[in-house]
Coordinates of all heavy atoms in Angstrom, one line a residue:
A1 N 108.6 2.8 -269.6 CA 107.8 2.5 -268.4 C 108.1 3.4 -267.3 O 107.2 3.8 -266.5 CB 108.1 1.0 -268.0
S2 N 109.4 3.8 -267.1 CA 109.7 4.7 -266.1 C 109.1 6.1 -266.3 O 108.5 6.7 -265.4 CB 111.3 4.9 -266.0 OG 111.6 5.8 -265.0
L3 N 109.0 6.6 -267.5 CA 108.4 7.8 -267.9 C 106.9 7.7 -267.6 O 106.3 8.7 -267.1 CB 108.6 8.2 -269.3 CG 110.0 8.6 -269.7 CD1 110.1 8.8 -271.2 CD2 110.3 10.0 -269.0
A4 N 106.3 6.6 -267.8 CA 104.9 6.4 -267.5 C 104.6 6.6 -266.0 O 103.6 7.3 -265.6 CB 104.4 5.0 -267.9
M5 N 105.5 6.1 -265.2 CA 105.3 6.2 -263.7 C 105.6 7.6 -263.2 O 105.0 8.1 -262.3 CB 106.1 5.2 -263.0 CG 105.6 3.7 -263.2 SD 103.9 3.5 -262.7 CE 103.0 3.6 -264.3
V6 N 106.5 8.3 -263.9 CA 106.8 9.7 -263.6 C 105.5 10.5 -263.8 O 105.1 11.4 -263.0 CB 107.9 10.3 -264.4 CG1 108.0 11.8 -264.2 CG2 109.2 9.6 -263.9
S7 N 104.8 10.3 -264.9 CA 103.6 11.0 -265.2 C 102.5 10.7 -264.2 O 101.7 11.5 -263.8 CB 103.1 10.7 -266.7 OG 102.8 9.4 -266.8
A8 N 102.4 9.4 -263.8 CA 101.4 9.0 -262.8 C 101.7 9.7 -261.4 O 100.8 10.0 -260.7 CB 101.4 7.5 -262.6
T9 N 103.0 9.8 -261.1 CA 103.4 10.5 -259.9 C 102.9 12.0 -259.9 O 102.3 12.5 -258.9 CB 104.9 10.5 -259.7 OG1 105.4 9.1 -259.7 CG2 105.3 11.1 -258.4
V10 N 103.1 12.6 -261.0 CA 102.7 14.0 -261.1 C 101.2 14.1 -261.0 O 100.6 15.0 -260.3 CB 103.2 14.6 -262.5 CG1 102.6 16.0 -262.7 CG2 104.7 14.7 -262.5
I11 N 100.4 13.2 -261.7 CA 99.0 13.3 -261.6 C 98.5 13.1 -260.2 O 97.6 13.8 -259.7 CB 98.4 12.2 -262.5 CG1 98.6 12.5 -264.0 CG2 96.9 12.0 -262.3 CD1 98.2 11.4 -265.0
Q12 N 99.1 12.1 -259.5 CA 98.7 11.9 -258.1 C 99.0 13.1 -257.2 O 98.2 13.4 -256.3 CB 99.4 10.6 -257.5 CG 98.9 10.2 -256.2 CD 97.4 9.7 -256.2 OE1 97.0 9.0 -257.1 NE2 96.6 10.3 -255.3
Y13 N 100.1 13.8 -257.4 CA 100.4 15.0 -256.7 C 99.4 16.0 -256.8 O 98.9 16.6 -255.8 CB 101.8 15.5 -257.1 CG 102.2 16.8 -256.5 CD1 102.7 16.9 -255.2 CD2 101.9 18.0 -257.2 CE1 103.1 18.1 -254.7 CE2 102.3 19.2 -256.7 CZ 102.8 19.3 -255.4 OH 103.1 20.5 -254.9
Y14 N 98.9 16.2 -258.0 CA 97.9 17.3 -258.3 C 96.5 16.8 -257.8 O 95.7 17.7 -257.4 CB 97.9 17.6 -259.8 CG 99.0 18.6 -260.1 CD1 100.1 18.2 -260.8 CD2 98.9 20.0 -259.8 CE1 101.1 19.0 -261.2 CE2 99.9 20.8 -260.1 CZ 101.0 20.4 -260.8 OH 102.0 21.2 -261.1
I15 N 96.2 15.5 -257.8 CA 95.0 15.1 -257.2 C 95.0 15.4 -255.7 O 94.0 15.9 -255.2 CB 94.8 13.5 -257.4 CG1 94.5 13.2 -258.8 CG2 93.7 13.0 -256.5 CD1 94.5 11.8 -259.2
Y16 N 96.1 15.2 -255.0 CA 96.2 15.4 -253.6 C 96.0 16.9 -253.3 O 95.6 17.3 -252.2 CB 97.5 14.9 -253.0 CG 97.5 13.5 -252.7 CD1 98.7 12.8 -252.5 CD2 96.3 12.7 -252.5 CE1 98.8 11.5 -252.2 CE2 96.4 11.4 -252.2 CZ 97.6 10.7 -252.0 OH 97.6 9.4 -251.7
N17 N 96.4 17.8 -254.2 CA 96.3 19.2 -254.0 C 95.1 19.9 -254.6 O 95.1 21.1 -254.8 CB 97.6 19.9 -254.5 CG 98.8 19.5 -253.6 OD1 99.1 20.1 -252.6 ND2 99.6 18.5 -254.0
S18 N 94.1 19.1 -255.0 CA 93.0 19.7 -255.8 C 91.7 19.9 -255.0 O 90.8 20.5 -255.5 CB 92.8 18.9 -257.1 OG 92.4 17.6 -256.7
T19 N 91.6 19.2 -253.8 CA 90.4 19.3 -253.0 C 90.7 19.5 -251.6 O 91.9 19.4 -251.1 CB 89.5 18.0 -253.2 OG1 90.2 17.0 -252.5 CG2 89.4 17.7 -254.7
V20 N 89.7 19.7 -250.8 CA 89.8 19.8 -249.3 C 90.2 18.5 -248.7 O 90.6 18.5 -247.5 CB 88.5 20.3 -248.7 CG1 88.2 21.7 -249.2 CG2 87.3 19.4 -249.0
C21 N 90.1 17.4 -249.4 CA 90.4 16.1 -248.9 C 91.9 15.9 -248.7 O 92.3 15.0 -248.0 CB 89.8 15.0 -249.8 SG 88.0 15.0 -250.0
G22 N 92.7 16.7 -249.4 CA 94.1 16.6 -249.4 C 94.6 15.2 -249.8 O 94.3 14.7 -250.9
K23 N 95.4 14.6 -248.9 CA 96.0 13.3 -249.2 C 95.1 12.1 -248.9 O 95.6 11.0 -248.7 CB 97.4 13.2 -248.6 CG 98.4 14.2 -249.1 CD 99.7 14.0 -248.4 CE 100.8 15.0 -249.0 NZ 102.1 14.8 -248.4
F24 N 93.8 12.3 -248.7 CA 92.9 11.3 -248.3 C 91.7 11.3 -249.3 O 90.6 11.4 -248.8 CB 92.5 11.4 -246.9 CG 93.6 11.2 -245.9 CD1 94.4 12.3 -245.5 CD2 94.0 10.0 -245.4 CE1 95.4 12.2 -244.6 CE2 95.1 9.8 -244.6 CZ 95.8 10.9 -244.1
M25 N 92.0 11.1 -250.6 CA 91.0 11.2 -251.6 C 90.1 9.9 -251.6 O 88.9 10.0 -251.9 CB 91.6 11.4 -252.9 CG 92.1 12.8 -253.2 SD 90.7 14.0 -253.2 CE 89.7 13.4 -254.5
N26 N 90.6 8.8 -251.4 CA 89.8 7.5 -251.4 C 88.9 7.5 -250.2 O 89.2 7.6 -249.1 CB 90.8 6.3 -251.3 CG 91.5 6.1 -252.6 OD1 90.9 5.7 -253.7 ND2 92.8 6.2 -252.6
G27 N 87.6 7.4 -250.6 CA 86.6 7.4 -249.5 C 86.2 8.7 -249.0 O 85.4 8.8 -248.0
C28 N 86.7 9.8 -249.5 CA 86.4 11.2 -249.0 C 85.0 11.6 -249.5 O 84.6 11.5 -250.7 CB 87.4 12.2 -249.6 SG 87.2 13.8 -248.9
E29 N 84.1 12.0 -248.6 CA 82.7 12.3 -248.9 C 82.4 13.7 -248.3 O 83.0 14.1 -247.3 CB 81.8 11.2 -248.3 CG 82.0 9.9 -248.9 CD 81.1 8.8 -248.2 OE1 80.5 9.1 -247.2 OE2 81.0 7.7 -248.8
D30 N 81.4 14.3 -248.9 CA 80.9 15.6 -248.3 C 79.9 15.3 -247.2 O 79.6 14.2 -246.8 CB 80.3 16.4 -249.4 CG 79.1 15.8 -250.1 OD1 78.5 14.8 -249.5 OD2 78.8 16.2 -251.3
A31 N 79.3 16.4 -246.7 CA 78.3 16.3 -245.6 C 77.1 15.4 -245.9 O 76.5 14.8 -245.0 CB 77.9 17.6 -245.1
E32 N 76.8 15.4 -247.2 CA 75.6 14.6 -247.6 C 75.9 13.2 -248.0 O 75.1 12.4 -248.4 CB 74.9 15.3 -248.8 CG 74.4 16.7 -248.4 CD 73.8 17.4 -249.6 OE1 73.9 16.8 -250.7 OE2 73.3 18.5 -249.4
G33 N 77.2 12.8 -247.8 CA 77.6 11.4 -248.1 C 77.9 11.2 -249.5 O 78.1 10.0 -249.9
N34 N 78.1 12.2 -250.3 CA 78.4 12.1 -251.7 C 80.0 12.0 -251.9 O 80.7 12.8 -251.2 CB 77.9 13.2 -252.6 CG 76.4 13.2 -252.6 OD1 75.7 12.2 -252.7 ND2 75.8 14.4 -252.4
K35 N 80.5 11.2 -252.7 CA 81.9 11.1 -252.9 C 82.5 12.3 -253.5 O 82.0 12.9 -254.5 CB 82.2 9.9 -253.8 CG 83.7 9.6 -254.0 CD 84.0 8.4 -254.9 CE 85.4 8.1 -255.1 NZ 86.2 7.9 -253.9
I36 N 83.5 12.9 -252.9 CA 84.2 14.0 -253.4 C 85.3 13.6 -254.4 O 86.1 12.7 -254.1 CB 84.9 14.9 -252.3 CG1 83.8 15.4 -251.4 CG2 85.7 16.0 -252.9 CD1 84.3 16.2 -250.2
R37 N 85.3 14.2 -255.6 CA 86.3 13.8 -256.6 C 87.1 15.0 -257.0 O 86.7 16.2 -256.9 CB 85.6 13.3 -257.9 CG 84.7 12.0 -257.6 CD 84.1 11.6 -258.9 NE 83.1 10.5 -258.7 CZ 83.4 9.2 -258.7 NH1 84.7 8.9 -258.9 NH2 82.5 8.3 -258.5
S38 N 88.3 14.7 -257.5 CA 89.2 15.8 -257.9 C 88.6 16.4 -259.2 O 88.0 15.7 -260.0 CB 90.6 15.2 -258.2 OG 91.4 16.2 -258.9
P39 N 88.8 17.7 -259.4 CA 88.3 18.4 -260.6 C 89.1 17.9 -261.9 O 88.7 18.2 -263.0 CB 88.4 19.9 -260.4 CG 89.5 20.0 -259.3 CD 89.3 18.7 -258.4
L40 N 90.2 17.3 -261.6 CA 91.1 16.8 -262.8 C 90.3 15.8 -263.6 O 89.7 14.8 -263.0 CB 92.4 16.2 -262.3 CG 93.3 17.1 -261.5 CD1 94.5 16.4 -261.0 CD2 93.8 18.3 -262.5
N41 N 90.3 16.0 -264.9 CA 89.5 15.0 -265.8 C 90.3 13.7 -265.9 O 91.5 13.7 -266.0 CB 89.4 15.7 -267.2 CG 88.4 14.9 -268.0 OD1 88.7 13.8 -268.4 ND2 87.2 15.5 -268.3
V42 N 89.6 12.6 -265.8 CA 90.2 11.3 -265.8 C 91.0 11.0 -267.1 O 91.9 10.2 -267.0 CB 89.1 10.2 -265.6 CG1 88.3 10.1 -266.9 CG2 89.7 8.9 -265.2
W43 N 90.7 11.7 -268.2 CA 91.4 11.4 -269.4 C 92.9 11.8 -269.4 O 93.6 11.4 -270.3 CB 90.7 12.0 -270.6 CG 89.4 11.3 -270.9 CD1 88.1 11.7 -270.5 CD2 89.2 10.0 -271.4 NE1 87.2 10.8 -270.9 CE2 87.8 9.7 -271.4 CE3 90.1 9.0 -271.9 CZ2 87.3 8.5 -272.0 CZ3 89.6 7.9 -272.4 CH2 88.2 7.6 -272.4
I44 N 93.3 12.6 -268.4 CA 94.8 12.9 -268.4 C 95.6 11.7 -268.0 O 96.8 11.7 -268.2 CB 95.1 14.0 -267.4 CG1 94.8 13.6 -265.9 CG2 94.3 15.3 -267.7 CD1 95.2 14.6 -264.9
Q45 N 94.9 10.6 -267.6 CA 95.6 9.3 -267.4 C 96.1 8.7 -268.7 O 96.8 7.7 -268.7 CB 94.7 8.3 -266.7 CG 94.6 8.5 -265.2 CD 94.0 7.3 -264.5 OE1 93.1 6.7 -265.0 NE2 94.5 7.0 -263.3
S46 N 95.7 9.3 -269.8 CA 96.1 8.7 -271.1 C 97.6 8.8 -271.2 O 98.2 7.9 -271.9 CB 95.5 9.5 -272.3 OG 95.8 10.9 -272.2

């Protein structure tokens, strides 16, 4: 379980460093009101 959370920590770190939103990814939108998402594919959460 500890290893699982270490991997989640690493994923979250790269999410924060993958877009212009930085550490405010939740609710981050572009000028047109579309939600900005990290380019990281969701399946790395496996």
Side-chain angles (χ1 to χ4, degrees):
S2 179
L3 287 175
M5 291 302 100
V6 169
S7 64
T9 303
V10 173
I11 292 171
Q12 189 64 50
Y13 172 82
Y14 280 103
I15 289 174
Y16 277 164
N17 288 275
S18 62
T19 72
V20 295
C21 300
K23 295 183 179 181
F24 295 92
M25 284 296 300
N26 286 294
C28 184
E29 298 179 348
D30 60 20
E32 298 177 356
N34 297 316
K35 183 177 178 64
I36 296 178
R37 300 180 187 273
S38 168
L40 296 177
N41 192 290
V42 71
W43 290 105
I44 65 174
Q45 281 193 324
S46 58

